[in-house]
Amino acid sequence: MTELSGKVQTVLGLLDPDQLGRTMTHEHLTMTFECCYVPPPPENGQTDKNPFQLCHGHWLRQNPYSCLENLFLCQETEAVRDELLAYRKAGGGSVVENTTTGIDRDMSTLRRLAKETGVNIVAGAGYYVDCTHSDDMRKMSVEKLTDVIVGEVLYGADGTDVRCGVIGEIGTGWPITDSERKVLRAAAHAQAQLGCPVIIHPGRNVAAPAEVVRILQEAGGDICKTVMSHLDRTIFNHAELLDFAEMGSYLEYDLFGIETLNYVFNMDVDMPSDSQRINTLAFLVKEGYEDKIVIAHDIHTKDRLCKYGGHGYSHILRNIVPKMLKRGISQMQVDKILIDNPKRWLTFK
Ligand SMILES: CCC(=O)NCCS(=O)(=O)O
């Protein structure tokens, strides 16, 4: 037992879990995604100087990672502040901010946004995918990495006294690299010490989520307190989804609002539409997994902000929830997905 037991840790301090309210479990409020820039397709190159004009909106939404300017969400703090105020008005209470080391986590900005908007913000500890790992960090042992992660939760991250309340998103690719494996083991060790929530970014392969769970389990992680992100673009077949669900993690559908034809990070993937995501949630609910589902938008590029004609952080509350209700998910089940499941996950043991 520590002083964290039974509490949620936000960037403004400890919180009674009942205060969380509706919670998006996977968002970014400030980050850079330069590491994942993909040069524009030659046959479809966007050439105009201002990619954010309305006439380029469709191009940008189909090619979000091929416009460098689009990858600096960190430049939009004022717009994000306004959108968090709108999120509160729409009935939102909390956001888990998944930016970890490698994609420019900014703890001071998170604290400011929480103060200025009244939205509870839970920040993430640990490291993103291999291509963002520094030389210094690659030299660290699992024990040293564990100490860093534990320190980010107990004392504060990046030289500040602002503390993380969740480990992740811990980044992994496919195949999982040696450095990513080390970080996964460190995350599991830190979770075993702290009794805290963990969230994983799996590689873009159907086998990736289960492989991550096995690594965490072997290292003493608590899978019941772990969220597997991005299932929207990772597991498509219902039988395979149920096999994975049986492993016991939370199942996260967190790309709501992304409706793109060509998914450049894996062209074999047909990115589902929001309607298809909702159908999958209804399927999981029917199969008895209503206590395991969490959802979000994973906003990580500028084009998804309302300022640039995007859906913003309130899309789920405004548009997705009404459609979930129409597709046979009850209000009680919606409340589990938006309130009870995030609360259980985020509360320290
Ligand atoms: C940092 C944001 C992030 O990793 N988002 C996931 C994008 S995707 O892998 O699902 O395309």
Side-chain angles (χ1 to χ4, degrees), residues 48-62:
D48 197 278
K49 285 204 172 64
N50 182 358
F52 297 106
Q53 287 171 308
L54 195 54
C55 59
H56 298 305
H58 180 70
W59 183 91
L60 195 56
R61 258 171 273 294
Q62 291 301 317

Side-chain angles (χ1 to χ4, degrees), residues 65-84:
Y65 308 112
S66 297
C67 169
L68 205 50
E69 272 183 87
N70 198 33
L71 307 182
F72 292 88
L73 190 63
C74 58
Q75 295 168 342
E76 299 295 341
T77 303
E78 293 320 304
V80 168
R81 189 188 73 100
D82 292 348
E83 299 208 14
L84 287 178

Side-chain angles (χ1 to χ4, degrees), residues 26-28 31-33 35-36 65 98-100 103 128-129 169 171-172 201-204 229-234 254-255 258 263 265-266 271 297-301 304:
H26 197 132
E27 302 296 348
H28 299 269
M31 62 165 275
T32 62
F33 209 38
C35 58
C36 291
Y65 308 112
N98 275 254
T99 306
T100 42
I103 46 176
Y128 193 56
V129 298
E169 61 182 298
T172 59
H201 164 112
R204 299 172 186 108
S229 305
H230 312 323
L231 289 178
D232 336 29
R233 53 81 165 148
T234 314
D254 51 31
L255 300 172
I258 294 187
Y263 177 56
F265 299 143
N266 183 350
M271 183 62 87
H297 312 89
D298 186 19
I299 290 182
H300 52 278
T301 52
R304 298 178 66 202

